[in-house]
């Protein structure tokens, strides 16, 4: 019962907003910033923010909980997209930026999340097509609201 109360705690909604700003928005900055230096700064910030998230994930559990929370479901898509950053920004190293231990904790967390039926239903079946979808962001040619926002120096979470 106490765990159920934790899941509906309104502070989690605030955490979702913060991680959306700190992880989702920064993910697109890594891909779309025009210069390698700006991309690297965004990557370092992305790693810092992912590190802040994973520091709050319980061993063998989830975000501040033994059961998945709304924060887990909001953040997991961006952790599952590490491969996009690795593909389009191959000089950036998650292991170097996050450290081996933290990256190990992230990978174990990702595997736990992937076991959930709700996540299994959303997993990409074709990694190559996923890379193609993000090419327009990585090349700076995206014409979506997200693409326009980042190109104009705005944050994705403000769109």
């Amino acid at each position: 019962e106490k765990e159920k109360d934790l899941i509906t705690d309104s502070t989690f909604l605030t955490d979702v907003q913060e991680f959306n700003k700190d992880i989702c928005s920064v993910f697109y900055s890594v891909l779309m910033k025009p210069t390698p230096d700006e991309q690297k700064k965004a990557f370092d910030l992305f790693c810092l923010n992912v590190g802040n998230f994973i520091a709050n994930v319980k061993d063998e559990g989830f975000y501040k909980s033994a059961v998945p929370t709304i924060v887990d479901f909001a953040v997991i898509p961006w952790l599952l997209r590490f491969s996009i950053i690795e593909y389009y920004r191959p000089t950036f190293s998650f292991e170097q930026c996050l450290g081996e231990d933290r990256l190990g904790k992230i990978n174990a967390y990702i595997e736990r999340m992937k076991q959930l039926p709700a996540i299994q239903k959303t997993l990409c079946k074709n990694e190559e097509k996923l890379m193609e979808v993000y090419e327009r962001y990585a090349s700076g040619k995206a014409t979506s609201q997200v693409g326009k926002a980042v190109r104009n120096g705005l944050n994705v979470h403000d769109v």
Side-chain angles (χ1 to χ4, degrees), residues 38-110:
E38 289 173 297
Q39 293 165 6
K40 179 66 167 106
K41 284 180 186 172
F43 178 73
D44 290 343
L45 181 59
F46 182 77
C47 288
L48 175 70
N49 295 336
V50 167
N52 291 338
F53 167 78
I54 206 68
N56 286 288
V57 169
K58 290 187 173 192
D59 291 337
E60 305 304 318
F62 302 93
Y63 182 77
K64 296 182 179 179
S65 175
V67 297
T69 69
I70 191 170
V71 180
D72 295 294
F73 291 106
V75 171
I76 192 62
W78 309 108
L79 302 184
L80 291 170
R81 285 169 173 74
F82 274 20
S83 61
I84 293 167
I85 292 175
E86 291 169 333
Y87 182 82
Y88 286 109
R89 302 292 175 254
T91 60
F92 300 166
S93 166
F94 281 106
E95 187 171 342
Q96 185 177 4
C97 194
L98 290 163
E100 191 176 326
D101 290 343
R102 216 172 344 176
L103 188 56
K105 184 176 180 181
I106 291 165
N107 288 331
Y109 169 78
I110 289 170

Side-chain angles (χ1 to χ4, degrees), residues 106-152:
I106 291 165
N107 288 331
Y109 169 78
I110 289 170
E111 290 308 310
R112 275 194 305 285
M113 288 295 292
K114 285 168 117 179
Q115 299 307 308
L116 300 174
I119 299 302
Q120 287 177 2
K121 292 176 186 175
T122 67
L123 292 174
C124 179
K125 308 286 187 271
N126 186 328
E127 190 80 8
E128 191 175 308
K129 284 191 187 248
L130 184 65
M131 295 304 161
E132 288 174 14
V133 167
Y134 281 91
E135 189 280 331
R136 61 188 172 167
Y137 295 99
S139 67
K141 297 175 186 170
T143 57
S144 65
Q145 285 185 329
V146 166
K148 289 175 185 175
V150 174
R151 255 195 323 282
N152 290 321

Side-chain angles (χ1 to χ4, degrees), residues 1-61:
E1 189 63 40
K2 196 175 224 183
E3 204 67 62
K4 188 174 183 186
D5 291 340
L6 184 65
I7 295 168
T8 59
D9 188 325
S10 65
T11 59
F12 279 150
L13 297 178
T14 301
D15 292 350
V16 166
Q17 290 175 327
E18 287 302 309
F19 285 121
N20 185 47
K21 180 181 71 164
D22 294 345
I23 294 178
C24 169
S25 288
V26 179
F27 169 86
Y28 283 102
S29 294
V30 174
L31 290 182
M32 292 195 65
K33 287 294 184 182
T35 69
D37 283 346
E38 289 173 297
Q39 293 165 6
K40 179 66 167 106
K41 284 180 186 172
F43 178 73
D44 290 343
L45 181 59
F46 182 77
C47 288
L48 175 70
N49 295 336
V50 167
N52 291 338
F53 167 78
I54 206 68
N56 286 288
V57 169
K58 290 187 173 192
D59 291 337
E60 305 304 318

